[in-house]
């Protein structure tokens, strides 16, 4: 009877609405803050399941009715690339998995000698005349791209252009007065805001999932150009390229990646901010490619120890480790040891902020850098060059097999870098973690050989490491010094 009375009292208290409370640590009880809540509770009629309001939870039904028709299903077909083999046990070696890895890939077509690649993704119409945004990895290598609307209309799409660095692609379908979305402002998003995703997970068209913004401006491995929006929205294979909406029904991002050790939803997903994607769209339409500024320097993160060495008040900025001969940075007077603190007054908090901030600006533009040198800040004006169109090798070498255990992202030496290195071939380390980092290999090192055999391509490095037993000896050049680094592969 006491339990029944207590339950009735609690039900009566909550029937009157949600009251703010304060926690009294000494009394171990929750006390009402507002005066109205201090009045004796009056039992209210029991609320039914049909009438009971749920305080604080948004209703997405009107939003979906309004914007759902502009979200499309994208089916692709083409020649299949060799299948990516995962590590033993079937779990991804790198938990940051692009959705492309999980798209269905049926066996060979009986009428063709080569296997056929078929996949499904999502996209959304950004203008009534038929321009569609999606992810590059959804349409990459496709021979045919079919866009299907919610009203069952189907269109053959043309790929206007695609940008690997941001993973944004622009398609065009022939239609008029098509349903389209409105663009929002990702900078106004706050951590904790409600957002919704619409897409085709596992091929289920126009599926709606919702959650909150978990973090902003996330930098992921090999994605220095995108300040990702992190959410806990359920996104899965097939959601790639679909829109992320705010409560106003505006697109604030493109769902692109998930953090997963199984290939499925684990509550951590990442979206490309829509302003980044729209810049890609504008450049593809205007120039046929994405134009990005470049100052041609090698940078590294400023640690607490390095900040103390340079006399900085705290770790911040991007430390210049190398300056390309003949590049814009050298012409402006940048030197190794400079710490770039800001770009046109915008603070550089982490080294990975700098590529994005410079890349957002047009080649030929001038930027004012605040540079820390010799214990004081100074201004350096740089006229930007243009970022080459080649891809970073890290994107070409999936993290698989023994080579993945090195934890390296590398690229071939440029002609200028090769000349400075004495004319020898090699690979520049763009990022080092895993076994290589533990062994002492660093960003900016040049890998010359593995087990005494010279390497000048990513494929050669992978072949030599995969062919090794339990360890490799990596010949590294750092500044003017050359030495072997033993790296265990277990």
């Amino acid at each position: 009877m006491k339990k029944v009375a207590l339950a009735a009292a609690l039900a009566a208290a909550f029937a009157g609405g949600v009251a703010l409370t304060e926690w009294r640590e000494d009394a171990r009880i929750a006390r009402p803050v507002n005066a109205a809540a201090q009045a004796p509770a009056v039992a209210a009629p029991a609320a039914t399941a049909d009438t009971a309001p749920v305080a604080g939870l948004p209703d997405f039904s009107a939003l979906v009715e309004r914007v759902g028709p502009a979200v499309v299903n994208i089916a692709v077909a083409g020649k299949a690339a060799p299948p990516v083999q995962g590590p033993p046990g079937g779990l991804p070696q790198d938990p940051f998995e692009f959705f492309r890895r999980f798209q269905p890939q049926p066996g060979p077509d009986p009428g063709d000698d080569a296997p056929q690649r078929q996949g499904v993704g999502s996209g959304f119409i950004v203008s009534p005349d038929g321009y569609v945004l999606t992810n590059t990895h959804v349409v990459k290598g496709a021979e045919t791209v079919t866009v299907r609307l919610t009203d069952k209309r189907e269109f053959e799409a043309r790929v206007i252009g695609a940008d690997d660095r941001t993973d944004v692609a622009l398609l065009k379908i022939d239609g008029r007065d098509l349903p389209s979305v409105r663009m929002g402002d990702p900078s106004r998003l706050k951590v904790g805001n409600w957002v919704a995703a619409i897409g085709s997970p596992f091929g289920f068209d126009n599926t709606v999932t919702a959650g909150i913004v978990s973090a902003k401006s996330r930098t992921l491995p090999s994605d220095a150009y995108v300040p990702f929006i992190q959410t806990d929205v359920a996104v899965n294979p097939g959601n790639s390229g679909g829109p992320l909406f705010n409560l106003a029904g505006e697109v604030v991002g493109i769902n692109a990646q998930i953090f997963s050790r199984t290939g499925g939803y684990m509550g951590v997903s990442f979206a490309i901010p829509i302003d980044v994607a729209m810049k890609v769209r504008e450049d593809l339409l205007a120039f046929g490619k994405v134009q990005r500024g470049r100052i041609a320097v090698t940078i590294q993160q400023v640690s607490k120890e390095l900040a103390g060495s340079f006399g900085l008040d705290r770790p911040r900025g991007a430390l210049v480790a190398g300056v390309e001969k003949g590049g814009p940075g050298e012409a402006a007077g940048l030197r190794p040891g400079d710490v770039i603190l800001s770009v046109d007054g915008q603070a550089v908090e982490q080294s990975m902020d700098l590529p994005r901030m410079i890349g957002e600006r047009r080649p030929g533009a001038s930027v004012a850098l605040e540079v820390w040198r010799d214990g004081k800040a100074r201004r350096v004006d740089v006229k930007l060059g243009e970022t080459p169109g080649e891809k970073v090798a890290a994107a070409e070498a999936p993290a698989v097999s023994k080579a993945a255990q090195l934890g390296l992202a590398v690229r071939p030496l440029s002609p200028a870098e090769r000349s400075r290195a004495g004319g020898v071939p090699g690979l520049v380390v763009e990022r080092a973690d895993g076994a290589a980092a533990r062994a002492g290999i660093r960003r900016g090192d040049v890998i010359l050989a593995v087990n005494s055999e010279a390497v000048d391509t990513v494929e050669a490095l992978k072949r030599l490491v995969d062919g090794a037993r339990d360890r490799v000896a990596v010949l590294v050049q750092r500044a003017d010094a050359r030495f072997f680094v033993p790296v265990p592969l277990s």
Side-chain angles (χ1 to χ4, degrees), residues 49 97 219 225 269 287 434 450-451 460:
E97 291 290 350
T219 300
Y225 289 95
S269 58
F287 311 111
V450 173
N451 291 345

Side-chain angles (χ1 to χ4, degrees), residues 77-123:
K79 300 296 182 184
V84 176
Q85 300 298 328
L91 298 183
Q93 187 77 14
D94 184 350
F96 287 95
E97 291 290 350
F98 281 107
F99 291 147
R100 63 178 174 218
R101 180 162 181 169
F102 309 110
Q103 291 171 346
Q105 295 201 8
D109 188 322
D112 200 343
D113 294 331
Q116 292 292 312
R117 166 182 175 261
Q118 295 181 347
V120 62
S122 305

Side-chain angles (χ1 to χ4, degrees), residues 42-60:
V42 178
T48 66
D50 294 330
T51 61
V54 181
L57 296 179
D59 183 347
F60 291 97

Side-chain angles (χ1 to χ4, degrees), residues 216-426:
K216 295 177 61 177
S217 298
R218 287 291 198 208
T219 300
L220 305 185
S222 303
D223 282 300
Y225 289 95
V226 180
F228 285 97
I229 303 166
Q230 179 184 332
T231 77
D232 71 346
V233 177
V235 292
N236 284 289
N239 272 115
S240 293
L244 183 72
F245 291 99
N246 61 18
L247 286 180
E250 301 167 331
V251 176
V252 290
I254 302 178
N255 297 306
Q257 296 192 39
I258 56 174
F259 180 97
S260 179
R261 298 190 183 280
T262 63
Y265 168 65
M266 293 187 74
V268 183
S269 58
F270 300 92
I272 303 160
I274 194 61
D275 54 346
V276 173
M278 291 303 286
K279 180 185 182 300
V280 171
R281 174 184 181 269
E282 292 167 7
D283 278 13
L284 290 175
L285 287 175
F287 311 111
K289 63 177 182 178
V290 179
Q291 293 190 337
R292 293 187 176 90
R294 177 173 181 257
I295 57 177
V297 297
T298 303
I299 58 173
Q300 69 181 77
Q301 186 74 0
V302 179
S303 65
K304 180 179 178 181
E305 293 75 18
L306 286 171
S309 300
F310 289 110
L312 280 170
D313 56 341
R314 59 183 177 86
R316 58 191 175 106
L319 174 60
V320 177
V323 181
E324 183 179 313
K325 190 171 181 61
E330 184 189 56
L334 289 176
R335 311 173 187 171
D338 287 346
V339 180
I340 300 174
L341 300 178
S342 71
V343 178
D344 287 337
Q346 185 179 358
V348 179
E349 289 297 331
Q350 303 181 65
S351 62
M352 296 306 291
D353 293 339
L354 186 64
R356 173 178 54 83
M357 294 165 69
I358 295 297
E360 289 173 348
R361 290 158 170 80
R362 299 285 185 198
S366 291
V367 296
L369 305 181
E370 182 187 6
V371 173
W372 185 265
R373 181 189 298 168
D374 298 330
K376 59 183 179 181
R378 64 183 67 205
R379 171 173 168 156
V380 176
D381 293 316
V382 182
K383 185 176 182 180
L384 302 181
E386 183 171 0
T387 300
E390 71 270 13
K391 292 188 295 183
V392 177
E396 300 171 355
V400 294
S401 68
K402 288 182 180 178
Q405 298 178 31
L406 288 178
L408 291 175
V410 297
R411 63 171 174 80
L413 288 166
S414 68
E417 290 169 333
R418 187 166 177 171
S419 176
R420 290 198 301 274
V424 297

Side-chain angles (χ1 to χ4, degrees), residues 70-76 98-100 103 117 119-127 130-142 144-148 157-173 181 183 198-200 226 228 238-244 251 253-257 270-274 276-278 280-281 284 290:
V71 183
V72 300
N73 173 279
I74 297 177
V76 299
F98 281 107
F99 291 147
R100 63 178 174 218
Q103 291 171 346
R117 166 182 175 261
V120 62
S122 305
F124 52 100
I125 304 171
V126 296
S127 60
Y131 282 101
V132 177
L133 283 178
T134 186
N135 285 145
T136 295
H137 73 256
V138 170
V139 298
K140 191 170 187 177
T144 62
V145 179
T146 303
V147 170
R148 184 169 66 246
R158 291 178 288 119
V159 180
I160 300 300
D163 181 52
D164 285 323
R165 284 189 169 96
T166 57
D167 196 23
V168 173
L170 179 66
L171 314 180
K172 180 69 170 67
I173 58 177
V181 297
M183 303 304 163
I198 306 181
S200 304
V226 180
F228 285 97
N239 272 115
S240 293
L244 183 72
V251 176
I254 302 178
N255 297 306
Q257 296 192 39
F270 300 92
I272 303 160
I274 194 61
V276 173
M278 291 303 286
V280 171
R281 174 184 181 269
L284 290 175
V290 179

